[in-house]
Amino acid sequence: MAIYFSNTLSKEPFQFDSVGNHWLQEALSRPQGYPIYHYLQTEEGCGIFTIDGKEYFLPEGHGILITPHVPHAYRAADTSAWITCFATFGGTMEAHLPQILGNNRIIFTEKENALEIKAVIDRAVARFKTAPVNTHQLSCDCYALLLQFSNGFFHANTNDPLWEKYVEPVLRLIETHYMEDLTAEKLCRQVYVSPQYLSRLFVRYLGCSVYEYLTNYRITKAKELLLMRRDRKIQEIAHDVGYTDSSHFIVMFKKLTGMTPAQFRRQ
């Protein structure tokens, strides 16, 4: 069993407060919730979560992210051992996490997403074992973990025919072509509907317009590159995420994050 706590004051944008794996999980009840973001995943056995009066099973290979201050309790499903891995996290960018996570109070993970998250947690545990602790690399790991939640959130939104015919194909185009000269008008033409109609569908299912979604996706990718590729100039990263005008990129980045790309990189 291993658990590590961050004992340094860090200005990293995303930061683990604690991480652990191969943990023999005990029953816990938190009537006031946990003060920061908390992720728990089953490695062996099965657990039961109680949230808002409902019980959720957490079998092997499944995980759950709980946002701050959501009352909950959990316990092993039977008398056998319940082994988990987990992470709690925040950081200077914590105020922006609801936007990244789609304003969900809880998010479930399974299969590929859960495997990727476990790999990130295992990697973070290994980093904590090495002194001195590299807080920048841990911040990158924390952001990589967050991307698994944001990537999984939009894929399982709904089976509605309008979603499948118009919205989902546009999301796939954004994910694969965001770095190109992509506009809301070009996306609309790909599914043969008007910009107004497609934006109404986006607002209905995702709570934002096509342009807002495209912009948020590009800025999210830019955050990842700013953290992972410090050798890249900001002008180059702007081009990497589809902005031919770096000044426009900087304006949009600051509008969505409250800081310039250079300030974000220094955090």
Side-chain angles (χ1 to χ4, degrees):
M1 300 197 324
I3 181 172
Y4 294 90
F5 295 92
S6 176
N7 57 7
T8 60
L9 292 175
S10 173
K11 294 184 178 180
E12 295 290 346
F14 307 104
Q15 179 182 356
F16 290 113
D17 183 67
S18 66
V19 291
N21 57 8
H22 317 318
W23 189 257
L24 179 59
Q25 188 63 61
E26 298 179 347
L28 283 173
S29 177
R30 297 191 177 106
Q32 306 302 318
Y34 200 71
I36 58 177
Y37 288 84
H38 178 215
Y39 178 75
L40 187 72
Q41 180 174 317
T42 297
E43 292 184 348
E44 299 177 25
C46 182
I48 297 178
F49 264 80
T50 304
I51 301 173
D52 296 332
K54 297 181 180 179
E55 289 192 344
Y56 303 91
F57 284 89
L58 205 66
E60 184 174 331
H62 290 61
I64 182 173
L65 174 69
I66 308 174
T67 55
H69 310 298
V70 173
H72 63 271
Y74 50 83
R75 68 185 191 278
D78 50 41
T79 57
S80 60
W82 182 27
I83 309 300
T84 66
C85 61
F86 58 87
T88 62
F89 52 89
T92 61
M93 294 291 291
E94 184 175 345
H96 299 277
L97 293 185
Q99 181 181 3
I100 294 175
L101 300 173
N103 293 308
N104 282 323
R105 297 170 73 238
I106 59 174
I107 298 177
F108 291 96
T109 63
E110 57 181 308
K111 299 180 180 178
E112 290 82 4
N113 283 107
L115 284 173
E116 290 291 337
I117 291 171
K118 185 181 185 310
V120 172
I121 291 175
D122 290 345
R123 186 163 63 244
V125 167
R127 293 196 201 282
F128 269 105
K129 291 179 180 178
T130 304
V133 173
N134 189 324
T135 57
H136 168 63
Q137 287 297 329
L138 282 167
S139 181
C140 293
D141 290 337
C142 191
Y143 188 65
L145 181 147
L146 282 168
L147 287 178
Q148 292 303 317
F149 299 122
S150 61
N151 288 345
F153 170 67
F154 296 111
H155 287 254
N157 194 290
T158 181
N159 291 321
D160 188 292
L162 292 177
W163 166 275
E164 294 179 346
K165 185 174 182 179
Y166 300 116
V167 179
E168 190 170 22
V170 171
L171 295 184
R172 301 292 81 77
L173 284 167
I174 290 174
E175 290 176 3
T176 55
H177 298 279
Y178 67 90
M179 71 293 294
E180 300 174 6
D181 182 20
L182 202 61
T183 64
E185 288 71 22
K186 289 182 178 179
L187 290 168
C188 294
R189 288 198 291 269
Q190 294 298 315
V191 289
Y192 306 103
V193 295
S194 70
Q196 295 79 9
Y197 181 68
L198 187 60
S199 273
R200 284 201 299 271
L201 290 178
F202 264 65
V203 170
R204 173 180 172 181
Y205 292 113
L206 300 172
C208 64
S209 69
V210 179
Y211 173 75
E212 289 170 334
Y213 185 91
L214 174 60
T215 300
N216 275 281
Y217 194 89
R218 282 172 163 164
I219 297 304
T220 297
K221 287 295 182 181
K223 291 177 185 176
E224 181 180 0
L225 290 172
L226 286 164
L227 290 174
M228 303 291 189
R229 295 293 308 275
R230 292 181 179 259
D231 59 311
R232 298 286 285 172
K233 296 179 180 178
I234 289 173
Q235 293 89 338
E236 293 173 324
I237 289 176
H239 184 268
D240 291 341
V241 297
Y243 286 92
T244 56
D245 182 352
S246 59
S247 297
H248 184 211
F249 165 68
I250 293 170
V251 168
M252 297 309 300
F253 192 97
K254 186 172 183 179
K255 180 179 179 180
L256 292 181
T257 68
M259 61 183 74
T260 67
Q263 290 170 330
F264 178 86
R265 180 173 263 174
R266 288 197 299 267
Q267 290 296 308

